Amino acid sequence: MFKRKDGTFMMKRESVQSIDIGCEITSDVIGWYGDVMNRNEAKKGKFTRWFFDTSLAGDCQLDIDSGNPVLSPDDYYNKVDLDITNKEWAKNLSFTECNLWFFPYCNNKHYIMICVNIKAERFEVLDSLRHKDFEKTYKSMAERVVQYAINYMKTQFADKTVRWERFSWFKLEKVTQPDQISCGMYVIRWMRHWEGKYNSALTKDWKRIDLINEERECLMLDIILDEENLERERIMKEATKYCNMKNKKKELKGRK
């Protein structure tokens, strides 16, 4: 359903169908949206926010047998470098002005967002279920994600003073999803609107499931019509052909 022009990312039909009402969206969808947001940042000529793939946070998990992270720090940095420099539109753009780094993470089928806010000197945990057992469920994982990110940023911001020891933890308190399956949609909303503080786009009507469902439909169309999608023309031709066939059947039925 989606194939990027540079050939670095593909999305199968199952992932697009996961956006449908009553479904839980997949990491592929969140990864695609992060790519869209990064492209939008690039169009501005500088990065003030950068969005990482869900796999980067996942790779910070501990191996069950050894107890060590799945991905070594060196491999992690290489993967981040590839994620950034492999994009044609990201070349020659500076990341030193980037104040917000977004790391979407899935734990036990629930998505949260870990955001490193350099300007506010905070590690922000955006969780639409507001888990009371954060310390037990997410804290150690979030700390590993943050530590990997810090180590990498030190290589990127060698000429920028960042006082990491002053950073505090911040948890979202004003938003709660109305069901058990929309956490991925909330992660996408944070990617779209979160700039380190609350605003009307983040708090207004967040519990209205009908509006969330409307966003799902728009998201599905956005994927298909994305300017980077090599499959766009084929899908549109198939859709037109299907509509024409349906209209023809209606016309024949009406004549009878």
Side-chain angles (χ1 to χ4, degrees), residues 11 14-33 54 106 109-111 180-189 191 212 215-217 219-220 223:
M11 197 186 309
E14 292 81 7
S15 293
V16 178
Q17 288 174 332
S18 74
I19 306 171
D20 200 7
I21 295 170
C23 299
E24 299 178 56
I25 67 174
T26 64
S27 295
D28 282 349
V29 176
I30 294 174
W32 164 81
Y33 196 76
T54 54
C106 184
K109 296 186 177 181
H110 176 60
Y111 285 99
Q180 296 297 311
I181 60 172
S182 295
C183 53
M185 292 301 300
Y186 281 78
V187 163
I188 285 174
R189 273 191 172 185
M191 294 163 82
I212 294 173
E215 288 191 24
R216 285 176 178 270
E217 294 172 359
L219 191 62
M220 197 176 294
I223 289 175

Side-chain angles (χ1 to χ4, degrees), residues 36-47 89 93 227:
V36 170
M37 295 299 291
N38 287 333
R39 277 186 265 146
N40 289 341
E41 287 288 307
K43 288 175 183 177
K44 296 189 299 187
K46 64 178 181 179
F47 288 106
W89 41 262
L93 287 174
E227 61 184 15

Side-chain angles (χ1 to χ4, degrees), residues 159-173:
D159 59 343
K160 185 174 181 178
T161 302
V162 180
R163 299 178 182 178
W164 298 107
E165 70 281 358
R166 294 176 54 175
F167 278 51
S168 59
W169 285 90
F170 167 82
K171 287 197 299 177
L172 194 72
E173 297 293 346

Side-chain angles (χ1 to χ4, degrees), residues 110-113 125-135 137-138 170-180 183 186 190 198 203 206-207:
H110 176 60
Y111 285 99
I112 66 171
M113 179 68 79
V125 179
L126 311 179
D127 177 7
S128 55
L129 287 180
R130 293 193 293 173
H131 282 90
K132 294 180 180 178
D133 59 345
F134 170 75
E135 298 286 332
T137 308
Y138 293 111
F170 167 82
K171 287 197 299 177
L172 194 72
E173 297 293 346
K174 294 185 179 180
V175 175
T176 307
Q177 67 188 65
D179 56 24
Q180 296 297 311
C183 53
Y186 281 78
W190 287 318
Y198 291 102
T203 56
W206 265 57
K207 289 189 177 183

Side-chain angles (χ1 to χ4, degrees), residues 64-82:
I64 295 174
D65 296 323
S66 68
N68 297 319
V70 173
L71 203 67
S72 71
D74 286 341
D75 288 339
Y76 177 84
Y77 306 151
N78 291 337
K79 190 170 183 180
V80 174
D81 277 331
L82 181 65

